[in-house]
Amino acid sequence: DRTILVLAGASFDLFIEGEPAAALRAGGSPHAFSGDRAARCAVVGPSRDFNVMTRRGRVTHAVTREAGEGARAIERARGVGWVIYVVDGEASAGEVRAGAGECLVIEPGPEDREPIRLRAAGARVVVRLQGA
């Protein structure tokens, strides 16, 4: 399974076999689709995008875009991992910090644990990974 979103630059239209065309634009919502279907795109110009691909039946994922300054709890449930990609600005989880173009990775644990406090300023992509 796959999710893609445009971070910056020109837009593109994505054509997935059996689905209506999807217009992907900078600042727009993530677009999830089946990675095993034929795909093509019409590119307007250079862009920077973010992709997540997971093996169906083994791992599922959810991708969200967040912006602004704030803090929130990151769930620490059994088999749940996180990747926070910092588009611009910075983010921290506990003592670990990341700047623009870097990721914070919170690996899944064998048991439920206390949530981790994510503090961030700027744009980021938050990926929740769940083992099947």
mmCIF file of all heavy atoms in Angstrom, residues 62-107:
data_model
loop_
_atom_site.group_PDB
_atom_site.id
_atom_site.type_symbol
_atom_site.label_atom_id
_atom_site.label_comp_id
_atom_site.label_asym_id
_atom_site.label_seq_id
_atom_site.Cartn_x
_atom_site.Cartn_y
_atom_site.Cartn_z
ATOM 1 N N ALA A 62 -0.690 5.237 8.210
ATOM 2 C CA ALA A 62 -1.548 6.410 8.073
ATOM 3 C C ALA A 62 -0.631 7.619 8.023
ATOM 4 O O ALA A 62 0.312 7.731 8.816
ATOM 5 C CB ALA A 62 -2.506 6.520 9.256
ATOM 6 N N VAL A 63 -0.887 8.510 7.081
ATOM 7 C CA VAL A 63 -0.030 9.673 6.869
ATOM 8 C C VAL A 63 -0.866 10.940 7.040
ATOM 9 O O VAL A 63 -1.939 11.059 6.444
ATOM 10 C CB VAL A 63 0.590 9.648 5.447
ATOM 11 C CG1 VAL A 63 1.441 10.879 5.196
ATOM 12 C CG2 VAL A 63 1.398 8.377 5.234
ATOM 13 N N THR A 64 -0.363 11.866 7.844
ATOM 14 C CA THR A 64 -1.018 13.162 8.004
ATOM 15 C C THR A 64 0.011 14.267 7.858
ATOM 16 O O THR A 64 1.204 14.058 8.083
ATOM 17 C CB THR A 64 -1.714 13.297 9.381
ATOM 18 O OG1 THR A 64 -0.753 13.080 10.412
ATOM 19 C CG2 THR A 64 -2.840 12.302 9.531
ATOM 20 N N ARG A 65 -0.477 15.411 7.471
ATOM 21 C CA ARG A 65 0.361 16.609 7.370
ATOM 22 C C ARG A 65 -0.041 17.524 8.519
ATOM 23 O O ARG A 65 -1.228 17.722 8.760
ATOM 24 C CB ARG A 65 0.113 17.294 6.036
ATOM 25 C CG ARG A 65 0.926 18.539 5.806
ATOM 26 C CD ARG A 65 0.444 19.325 4.600
ATOM 27 N NE ARG A 65 0.431 18.583 3.371
ATOM 28 C CZ ARG A 65 1.407 18.601 2.455
ATOM 29 N NH1 ARG A 65 2.478 19.330 2.662
ATOM 30 N NH2 ARG A 65 1.306 17.912 1.348
ATOM 31 N N GLU A 66 0.945 18.060 9.220
ATOM 32 C CA GLU A 66 0.680 18.985 10.316
ATOM 33 C C GLU A 66 1.530 20.232 10.117
ATOM 34 O O GLU A 66 2.585 20.159 9.492
ATOM 35 C CB GLU A 66 1.017 18.355 11.668
ATOM 36 C CG GLU A 66 0.170 17.147 12.002
ATOM 37 C CD GLU A 66 0.520 16.525 13.346
ATOM 38 O OE1 GLU A 66 1.430 17.032 14.041
ATOM 39 O OE2 GLU A 66 -0.119 15.524 13.699
ATOM 40 N N ALA A 67 1.056 21.341 10.651
ATOM 41 C CA ALA A 67 1.808 22.592 10.536
ATOM 42 C C ALA A 67 1.584 23.430 11.783
ATOM 43 O O ALA A 67 0.632 23.206 12.529
ATOM 44 C CB ALA A 67 1.372 23.363 9.294
ATOM 45 N N GLY A 68 2.474 24.381 11.964
ATOM 46 C CA GLY A 68 2.344 25.292 13.087
ATOM 47 C C GLY A 68 3.136 24.829 14.287
ATOM 48 O O GLY A 68 3.848 23.830 14.257
ATOM 49 N N GLU A 69 2.981 25.590 15.346
ATOM 50 C CA GLU A 69 3.708 25.302 16.570
ATOM 51 C C GLU A 69 2.774 24.628 17.558
ATOM 52 O O GLU A 69 1.605 24.982 17.662
ATOM 53 C CB GLU A 69 4.248 26.603 17.163
ATOM 54 C CG GLU A 69 5.187 26.386 18.315
ATOM 55 C CD GLU A 69 5.893 27.671 18.710
ATOM 56 O OE1 GLU A 69 6.064 28.553 17.852
ATOM 57 O OE2 GLU A 69 6.266 27.766 19.880
ATOM 58 N N GLY A 70 3.281 23.647 18.270
ATOM 59 C CA GLY A 70 2.463 23.004 19.274
ATOM 60 C C GLY A 70 3.088 21.723 19.783
ATOM 61 O O GLY A 70 4.206 21.363 19.430
ATOM 62 N N ALA A 71 2.331 21.059 20.624
ATOM 63 C CA ALA A 71 2.770 19.792 21.205
ATOM 64 C C ALA A 71 1.596 18.830 21.192
ATOM 65 O O ALA A 71 0.440 19.239 21.250
ATOM 66 C CB ALA A 71 3.272 20.015 22.629
ATOM 67 N N ARG A 72 1.929 17.558 21.091
ATOM 68 C CA ARG A 72 0.897 16.536 21.173
ATOM 69 C C ARG A 72 1.498 15.231 21.627
ATOM 70 O O ARG A 72 2.701 15.014 21.544
ATOM 71 C CB ARG A 72 0.168 16.377 19.864
ATOM 72 C CG ARG A 72 0.921 15.626 18.784
ATOM 73 C CD ARG A 72 -0.072 15.428 17.669
ATOM 74 N NE ARG A 72 0.267 14.729 16.501
ATOM 75 C CZ ARG A 72 0.096 13.421 16.292
ATOM 76 N NH1 ARG A 72 -0.306 12.639 17.241
ATOM 77 N NH2 ARG A 72 0.339 12.878 15.126
ATOM 78 N N ALA A 73 0.632 14.358 22.131
ATOM 79 C CA ALA A 73 1.084 13.050 22.600
ATOM 80 C C ALA A 73 1.177 12.090 21.421
ATOM 81 O O ALA A 73 0.304 12.070 20.553
ATOM 82 C CB ALA A 73 0.116 12.511 23.641
ATOM 83 N N ILE A 74 2.249 11.307 21.404
ATOM 84 C CA ILE A 74 2.427 10.245 20.408
ATOM 85 C C ILE A 74 2.148 8.920 21.117
ATOM 86 O O ILE A 74 2.843 8.554 22.071
ATOM 87 C CB ILE A 74 3.863 10.259 19.832
ATOM 88 C CG1 ILE A 74 4.132 11.562 19.075
ATOM 89 C CG2 ILE A 74 4.120 9.053 18.963
ATOM 90 C CD1 ILE A 74 3.372 11.713 17.780
ATOM 91 N N GLU A 75 1.146 8.235 20.641
ATOM 92 C CA GLU A 75 0.709 6.957 21.211
ATOM 93 C C GLU A 75 1.836 5.929 21.197
ATOM 94 O O GLU A 75 2.586 5.836 20.237
ATOM 95 C CB GLU A 75 -0.473 6.453 20.358
ATOM 96 C CG GLU A 75 -0.821 5.019 20.527
ATOM 97 C CD GLU A 75 -1.719 4.521 19.408
ATOM 98 O OE1 GLU A 75 -1.769 5.138 18.323
ATOM 99 O OE2 GLU A 75 -2.361 3.494 19.628
ATOM 100 N N ARG A 76 1.937 5.147 22.260
ATOM 101 C CA ARG A 76 2.971 4.115 22.373
ATOM 102 C C ARG A 76 2.315 2.760 22.614
ATOM 103 O O ARG A 76 2.493 2.151 23.658
ATOM 104 C CB ARG A 76 3.924 4.454 23.508
ATOM 105 C CG ARG A 76 4.647 5.769 23.332
ATOM 106 C CD ARG A 76 5.633 5.710 22.230
ATOM 107 N NE ARG A 76 6.640 4.751 22.634
ATOM 108 C CZ ARG A 76 7.522 4.193 21.846
ATOM 109 N NH1 ARG A 76 7.546 4.498 20.593
ATOM 110 N NH2 ARG A 76 8.384 3.336 22.303
ATOM 111 N N ALA A 77 1.553 2.287 21.677
ATOM 112 C CA ALA A 77 0.859 1.007 21.805
ATOM 113 C C ALA A 77 1.700 -0.119 21.206
ATOM 114 O O ALA A 77 2.582 0.119 20.379
ATOM 115 C CB ALA A 77 -0.498 1.072 21.110
ATOM 116 N N ARG A 78 1.418 -1.323 21.601
ATOM 117 C CA ARG A 78 2.120 -2.509 21.111
ATOM 118 C C ARG A 78 2.077 -2.541 19.579
ATOM 119 O O ARG A 78 1.030 -2.415 18.976
ATOM 120 C CB ARG A 78 1.447 -3.753 21.669
ATOM 121 C CG ARG A 78 2.074 -5.043 21.158
ATOM 122 C CD ARG A 78 1.493 -6.243 21.843
ATOM 123 N NE ARG A 78 1.893 -6.148 23.243
ATOM 124 C CZ ARG A 78 1.077 -6.385 24.267
ATOM 125 N NH1 ARG A 78 -0.167 -6.712 24.066
ATOM 126 N NH2 ARG A 78 1.517 -6.285 25.499
ATOM 127 N N GLY A 79 3.235 -2.673 18.966
ATOM 128 C CA GLY A 79 3.338 -2.809 17.513
ATOM 129 C C GLY A 79 3.153 -1.529 16.723
ATOM 130 O O GLY A 79 3.080 -1.567 15.503
ATOM 131 N N VAL A 80 3.091 -0.375 17.400
ATOM 132 C CA VAL A 80 2.896 0.899 16.708
ATOM 133 C C VAL A 80 4.203 1.687 16.710
ATOM 134 O O VAL A 80 4.798 1.918 17.759
ATOM 135 C CB VAL A 80 1.777 1.743 17.381
ATOM 136 C CG1 VAL A 80 1.672 3.115 16.733
ATOM 137 C CG2 VAL A 80 0.454 1.010 17.307
ATOM 138 N N GLY A 81 4.642 2.083 15.519
ATOM 139 C CA GLY A 81 5.829 2.911 15.366
ATOM 140 C C GLY A 81 5.471 4.200 14.647
ATOM 141 O O GLY A 81 4.399 4.312 14.039
ATOM 142 N N TRP A 82 6.362 5.161 14.700
ATOM 143 C CA TRP A 82 6.106 6.473 14.120
ATOM 144 C C TRP A 82 7.338 6.989 13.391
ATOM 145 O O TRP A 82 8.462 6.742 13.815
ATOM 146 C CB TRP A 82 5.765 7.488 15.215
ATOM 147 C CG TRP A 82 4.528 7.158 15.975
ATOM 148 C CD1 TRP A 82 4.421 6.302 17.035
ATOM 149 C CD2 TRP A 82 3.222 7.666 15.741
ATOM 150 N NE1 TRP A 82 3.115 6.260 17.472
ATOM 151 C CE2 TRP A 82 2.361 7.088 16.700
ATOM 152 C CE3 TRP A 82 2.688 8.572 14.829
ATOM 153 C CZ2 TRP A 82 1.002 7.382 16.754
ATOM 154 C CZ3 TRP A 82 1.344 8.861 14.888
ATOM 155 C CH2 TRP A 82 0.515 8.271 15.837
ATOM 156 N N VAL A 83 7.106 7.745 12.328
ATOM 157 C CA VAL A 83 8.152 8.516 11.659
ATOM 158 C C VAL A 83 7.603 9.928 11.512
ATOM 159 O O VAL A 83 6.501 10.110 10.985
ATOM 160 C CB VAL A 83 8.514 7.933 10.277
ATOM 161 C CG1 VAL A 83 9.508 8.830 9.554
ATOM 162 C CG2 VAL A 83 9.054 6.515 10.403
ATOM 163 N N ILE A 84 8.347 10.892 11.999
ATOM 164 C CA ILE A 84 7.958 12.293 11.850
ATOM 165 C C ILE A 84 9.021 12.944 10.977
ATOM 166 O O ILE A 84 10.187 13.059 11.373
ATOM 167 C CB ILE A 84 7.839 13.024 13.213
ATOM 168 C CG1 ILE A 84 6.691 12.440 14.055
ATOM 169 C CG2 ILE A 84 7.570 14.507 12.993
ATOM 170 C CD1 ILE A 84 7.101 11.374 14.984
ATOM 171 N N TYR A 85 8.621 13.332 9.763
ATOM 172 C CA TYR A 85 9.530 13.995 8.834
ATOM 173 C C TYR A 85 9.323 15.501 8.967
ATOM 174 O O TYR A 85 8.200 15.988 8.810
ATOM 175 C CB TYR A 85 9.269 13.548 7.397
ATOM 176 C CG TYR A 85 10.090 14.317 6.393
ATOM 177 C CD1 TYR A 85 11.450 14.060 6.261
ATOM 178 C CD2 TYR A 85 9.520 15.301 5.604
ATOM 179 C CE1 TYR A 85 12.221 14.779 5.363
ATOM 180 C CE2 TYR A 85 10.277 16.020 4.701
ATOM 181 C CZ TYR A 85 11.626 15.758 4.582
ATOM 182 O OH TYR A 85 12.389 16.464 3.704
ATOM 183 N N VAL A 86 10.393 16.225 9.248
ATOM 184 C CA VAL A 86 10.319 17.670 9.419
ATOM 185 C C VAL A 86 10.517 18.335 8.055
ATOM 186 O O VAL A 86 11.602 18.265 7.477
ATOM 187 C CB VAL A 86 11.373 18.160 10.436
ATOM 188 C CG1 VAL A 86 11.274 19.660 10.625
ATOM 189 C CG2 VAL A 86 11.225 17.424 11.763
ATOM 190 N N VAL A 87 9.459 18.934 7.540
ATOM 191 C CA VAL A 87 9.528 19.623 6.244
ATOM 192 C C VAL A 87 10.277 20.931 6.414
ATOM 193 O O VAL A 87 11.196 21.237 5.668
ATOM 194 C CB VAL A 87 8.112 19.872 5.676
ATOM 195 C CG1 VAL A 87 8.181 20.628 4.352
ATOM 196 C CG2 VAL A 87 7.358 18.552 5.505
ATOM 197 N N ASP A 88 9.872 21.719 7.391
ATOM 198 C CA ASP A 88 10.599 22.934 7.749
ATOM 199 C C ASP A 88 10.393 23.183 9.241
ATOM 200 O O ASP A 88 9.469 22.655 9.831
ATOM 201 C CB ASP A 88 10.194 24.143 6.889
ATOM 202 C CG ASP A 88 8.727 24.499 7.020
ATOM 203 O OD1 ASP A 88 8.221 24.641 8.159
ATOM 204 O OD2 ASP A 88 8.061 24.651 5.992
ATOM 205 N N GLY A 89 11.277 23.937 9.824
ATOM 206 C CA GLY A 89 11.213 24.157 11.260
ATOM 207 C C GLY A 89 11.964 23.083 12.008
ATOM 208 O O GLY A 89 13.013 22.611 11.556
ATOM 209 N N GLU A 90 11.390 22.647 13.144
ATOM 210 C CA GLU A 90 12.046 21.621 13.950
ATOM 211 C C GLU A 90 11.011 20.852 14.747
ATOM 212 O O GLU A 90 9.878 21.297 14.919
ATOM 213 C CB GLU A 90 13.079 22.252 14.885
ATOM 214 C CG GLU A 90 12.495 23.224 15.875
ATOM 215 C CD GLU A 90 13.556 23.882 16.743
ATOM 216 O OE1 GLU A 90 14.749 23.810 16.411
ATOM 217 O OE2 GLU A 90 13.174 24.460 17.765
ATOM 218 N N ALA A 91 11.434 19.700 15.246
ATOM 219 C CA ALA A 91 10.571 18.873 16.093
ATOM 220 C C ALA A 91 11.451 18.153 17.103
ATOM 221 O O ALA A 91 12.634 17.896 16.850
ATOM 222 C CB ALA A 91 9.797 17.865 15.251
ATOM 223 N N SER A 92 10.858 17.812 18.231
ATOM 224 C CA SER A 92 11.582 17.041 19.236
ATOM 225 C C SER A 92 10.629 16.068 19.908
ATOM 226 O O SER A 92 9.439 16.329 20.050
ATOM 227 C CB SER A 92 12.241 17.945 20.276
ATOM 228 O OG SER A 92 11.255 18.648 21.020
ATOM 229 N N ALA A 93 11.189 14.949 20.294
ATOM 230 C CA ALA A 93 10.468 13.927 21.062
ATOM 231 C C ALA A 93 11.425 13.515 22.176
ATOM 232 O O ALA A 93 12.460 12.903 21.914
ATOM 233 C CB ALA A 93 10.099 12.734 20.196
ATOM 234 N N GLY A 94 11.081 13.900 23.404
ATOM 235 C CA GLY A 94 12.010 13.669 24.503
ATOM 236 C C GLY A 94 13.263 14.487 24.282
ATOM 237 O O GLY A 94 13.197 15.678 23.998
ATOM 238 N N GLU A 95 14.415 13.846 24.343
ATOM 239 C CA GLU A 95 15.697 14.528 24.158
ATOM 240 C C GLU A 95 16.161 14.543 22.711
ATOM 241 O O GLU A 95 17.196 15.121 22.392
ATOM 242 C CB GLU A 95 16.764 13.839 25.030
ATOM 243 C CG GLU A 95 16.454 13.872 26.516
ATOM 244 C CD GLU A 95 16.372 15.288 27.061
ATOM 245 O OE1 GLU A 95 17.243 16.110 26.704
ATOM 246 O OE2 GLU A 95 15.429 15.561 27.817
ATOM 247 N N VAL A 96 15.439 13.909 21.809
ATOM 248 C CA VAL A 96 15.855 13.797 20.407
ATOM 249 C C VAL A 96 15.234 14.933 19.601
ATOM 250 O O VAL A 96 14.029 15.187 19.696
ATOM 251 C CB VAL A 96 15.436 12.425 19.826
ATOM 252 C CG1 VAL A 96 15.871 12.308 18.384
ATOM 253 C CG2 VAL A 96 16.018 11.298 20.666
ATOM 254 N N ARG A 97 16.066 15.592 18.802
ATOM 255 C CA ARG A 97 15.611 16.724 17.996
ATOM 256 C C ARG A 97 15.895 16.449 16.521
ATOM 257 O O ARG A 97 16.850 15.767 16.176
ATOM 258 C CB ARG A 97 16.333 17.989 18.409
ATOM 259 C CG ARG A 97 16.058 18.406 19.825
ATOM 260 C CD ARG A 97 16.666 19.766 20.134
ATOM 261 N NE ARG A 97 16.483 20.130 21.523
ATOM 262 C CZ ARG A 97 15.344 20.513 22.058
ATOM 263 N NH1 ARG A 97 14.267 20.578 21.321
ATOM 264 N NH2 ARG A 97 15.252 20.818 23.335
ATOM 265 N N ALA A 98 15.060 17.047 15.657
ATOM 266 C CA ALA A 98 15.260 16.946 14.215
ATOM 267 C C ALA A 98 14.955 18.295 13.583
ATOM 268 O O ALA A 98 14.035 18.993 14.020
ATOM 269 C CB ALA A 98 14.360 15.872 13.618
ATOM 270 N N GLY A 99 15.735 18.647 12.562
ATOM 271 C CA GLY A 99 15.523 19.876 11.812
ATOM 272 C C GLY A 99 14.981 19.565 10.429
ATOM 273 O O GLY A 99 14.723 18.402 10.090
ATOM 274 N N ALA A 100 14.828 20.593 9.622
ATOM 275 C CA ALA A 100 14.284 20.448 8.273
ATOM 276 C C ALA A 100 15.042 19.378 7.486
ATOM 277 O O ALA A 100 16.267 19.343 7.490
ATOM 278 C CB ALA A 100 14.339 21.782 7.549
ATOM 279 N N GLY A 101 14.286 18.480 6.865
ATOM 280 C CA GLY A 101 14.862 17.403 6.069
ATOM 281 C C GLY A 101 15.253 16.182 6.872
ATOM 282 O O GLY A 101 15.750 15.209 6.310
ATOM 283 N N GLU A 102 15.012 16.195 8.172
ATOM 284 C CA GLU A 102 15.361 15.063 9.041
ATOM 285 C C GLU A 102 14.098 14.397 9.581
ATOM 286 O O GLU A 102 13.017 14.969 9.540
ATOM 287 C CB GLU A 102 16.227 15.534 10.210
ATOM 288 C CG GLU A 102 17.539 16.135 9.771
ATOM 289 C CD GLU A 102 18.362 16.657 10.933
ATOM 290 O OE1 GLU A 102 17.799 17.153 11.927
ATOM 291 O OE2 GLU A 102 19.592 16.565 10.831
ATOM 292 N N CYS A 103 14.279 13.181 10.095
ATOM 293 C CA CYS A 103 13.167 12.414 10.661
ATOM 294 C C CYS A 103 13.407 12.089 12.123
ATOM 295 O O CYS A 103 14.549 11.851 12.535
ATOM 296 C CB CYS A 103 13.011 11.073 9.943
ATOM 297 S SG CYS A 103 12.427 11.184 8.262
ATOM 298 N N LEU A 104 12.340 12.043 12.866
ATOM 299 C CA LEU A 104 12.329 11.416 14.185
ATOM 300 C C LEU A 104 11.701 10.043 13.983
ATOM 301 O O LEU A 104 10.660 9.934 13.342
ATOM 302 C CB LEU A 104 11.469 12.206 15.168
ATOM 303 C CG LEU A 104 11.939 13.588 15.563
ATOM 304 C CD1 LEU A 104 10.860 14.302 16.363
ATOM 305 C CD2 LEU A 104 13.212 13.498 16.375
ATOM 306 N N VAL A 105 12.333 9.012 14.500
ATOM 307 C CA VAL A 105 11.808 7.651 14.379
ATOM 308 C C VAL A 105 11.528 7.124 15.777
ATOM 309 O O VAL A 105 12.411 7.101 16.627
ATOM 310 C CB VAL A 105 12.801 6.727 13.640
ATOM 311 C CG1 VAL A 105 12.268 5.308 13.584
ATOM 312 C CG2 VAL A 105 13.090 7.261 12.241
ATOM 313 N N ILE A 106 10.297 6.709 15.994
ATOM 314 C CA ILE A 106 9.894 6.127 17.268
ATOM 315 C C ILE A 106 9.508 4.687 16.969
ATOM 316 O O ILE A 106 8.475 4.419 16.354
ATOM 317 C CB ILE A 106 8.727 6.914 17.898
ATOM 318 C CG1 ILE A 106 9.158 8.378 18.093
ATOM 319 C CG2 ILE A 106 8.296 6.271 19.199
ATOM 320 C CD1 ILE A 106 8.030 9.322 18.432
ATOM 321 N N GLU A 107 10.384 3.777 17.353
ATOM 322 C CA GLU A 107 10.190 2.369 17.020
ATOM 323 C C GLU A 107 9.107 1.736 17.878
ATOM 324 O O GLU A 107 8.901 2.127 19.024
ATOM 325 C CB GLU A 107 11.512 1.626 17.183
ATOM 326 C CG GLU A 107 12.538 2.110 16.191
ATOM 327 C CD GLU A 107 13.772 1.242 16.148
ATOM 328 O OE1 GLU A 107 13.726 0.097 16.623
ATOM 329 O OE2 GLU A 107 14.778 1.723 15.635
#
